[in-house]
């Protein structure tokens, strides 16, 4: 509640969702890019560093915008799902025994993409519009138990998939809104053209 608490919360988030995933993915796979040459080694280090810096910028922007933007959405991928994406990938890849070029490529692309999405302008649902005190639809009521069962059956796969889908939802929503805007503009132009005729 206090100003001290807000600052301490941000520092905790930075360590838990910024530095820790960056160190884990670097030690798990990105460090091995150095085996492919000096430049590749630098790119692996840079991807982990970029992710950590992006997490810091994302948290700073959230603190600055707090109370200004629509609470139903976040601007940029929030740091907890970004961390879930990184850790989920490492967990899943370890379970599946990924190694070599496939694992390194996946680690590099996922880490860089998660960092870029955190500082992007894409909007993500905060799910704050769902209030447990109010009446909720049957589909919402069914979703949570199903997700818990799926997570219980295969935790690394389901957690990684959920984080991946949420990370993609921002760009997908942007494309959808852009398409609807273009479609609306075309309808208006056609209506105006027909009116002139």
């Amino acid at each position: 509640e206090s100003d001290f608490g807000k600052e301490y919360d941000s520092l905790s988030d930075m360590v838990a969702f910024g530095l820790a995933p960056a160190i884990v993915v670097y030690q798990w796979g990105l460090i091995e890019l150095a085996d492919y040459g000096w430049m590749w080694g630098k790119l692996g280090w840079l991807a982990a560093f970029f992710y950590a810096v992006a997490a810091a910028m994302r948290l700073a922007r959230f603190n600055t915008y707090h109370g200004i933007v629509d609470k139903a959405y976040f601007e940029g991928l929030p740091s907890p799902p970004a961390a879930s994406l990184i850790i989920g990938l490492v967990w899943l890849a370890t379970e599946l025994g990924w190694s070599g070029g496939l694992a390194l490529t996946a680690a590099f692309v996922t880490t860089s993409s998660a960092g870029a999405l955190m500082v992007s302008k894409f909007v993500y649902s905060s799910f704050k519009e769902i209030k447990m005190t109010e009446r909720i639809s049957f589909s919402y009521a069914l979703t949570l138990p199903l997700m818990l069962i799926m997570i219980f059956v295969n935790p690394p796969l389901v957690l990684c998939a959920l984080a991946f889908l949420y990370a993609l939802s921002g760009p997908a929503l942007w494309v959808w809104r852009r398409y609807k805007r273009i479609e609306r503009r075309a309808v208006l132009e056609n209506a105006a053209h027909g009116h002139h005729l």
Side-chain angles (χ1 to χ4, degrees):
E1 294 293 327
S2 66
D3 288 340
F4 174 83
K6 288 175 187 172
E7 296 299 325
Y8 194 72
D9 180 62
S10 289
L11 287 171
S12 300
D13 286 350
M14 179 57 208
V15 172
F17 306 128
L19 289 175
I23 290 169
V24 168
V25 75
Y26 182 73
Q27 290 296 329
W28 173 78
L30 293 178
I31 196 170
E32 293 177 21
L33 281 171
D35 296 344
Y36 294 86
W38 176 83
M39 183 58 105
W40 288 106
K42 294 296 179 190
L43 281 175
W45 177 86
L46 192 62
F49 180 73
F50 172 67
Y51 174 86
V53 170
M57 291 177 70
R58 171 71 185 80
L59 289 163
R61 184 169 68 183
F62 175 77
N63 289 343
T64 306
Y65 285 4
H66 198 62
I68 299 172
V69 294
D70 185 358
K71 291 190 188 303
Y73 295 97
F74 294 120
E75 186 177 294
L77 179 64
S79 54
S84 300
L85 188 60
I86 302 288
I87 299 304
L89 171 76
V90 171
W91 190 7
L92 180 63
T94 302
E95 288 285 314
L96 297 176
W98 289 1
S99 61
L102 174 66
L104 298 182
T105 303
F108 179 79
V109 170
T110 304
T111 305
S112 304
S113 300
L117 287 171
M118 277 194 285
V119 294
S120 71
K121 295 283 187 179
F122 293 129
V123 292
Y124 288 87
S125 176
S126 67
F127 300 107
K128 289 180 181 175
E129 70 274 13
I130 303 169
K131 293 182 173 64
M132 292 303 173
T133 54
E134 296 176 5
R135 206 171 194 182
I136 57 171
S137 68
F138 180 72
S139 58
Y140 273 131
L142 196 62
T143 302
L144 187 60
L146 278 174
M147 281 174 47
L148 290 173
I149 291 167
M150 287 164 57
I151 289 169
F152 181 75
V153 170
N154 194 335
L157 176 62
V158 175
L159 289 173
C160 187
L162 287 174
F164 183 74
L165 289 172
Y166 184 72
L168 284 180
S169 71
L173 183 61
W174 179 83
V175 169
W176 173 253
R177 285 179 170 175
R178 192 170 176 84
Y179 168 74
K180 294 304 280 183
R181 202 178 304 132
I182 291 168
E183 190 178 50
R184 200 178 308 120
R185 192 180 303 139
V187 168
L188 291 172
E189 285 173 1
N190 286 339
H193 183 68
H195 178 72
H196 287 310
L197 289 176

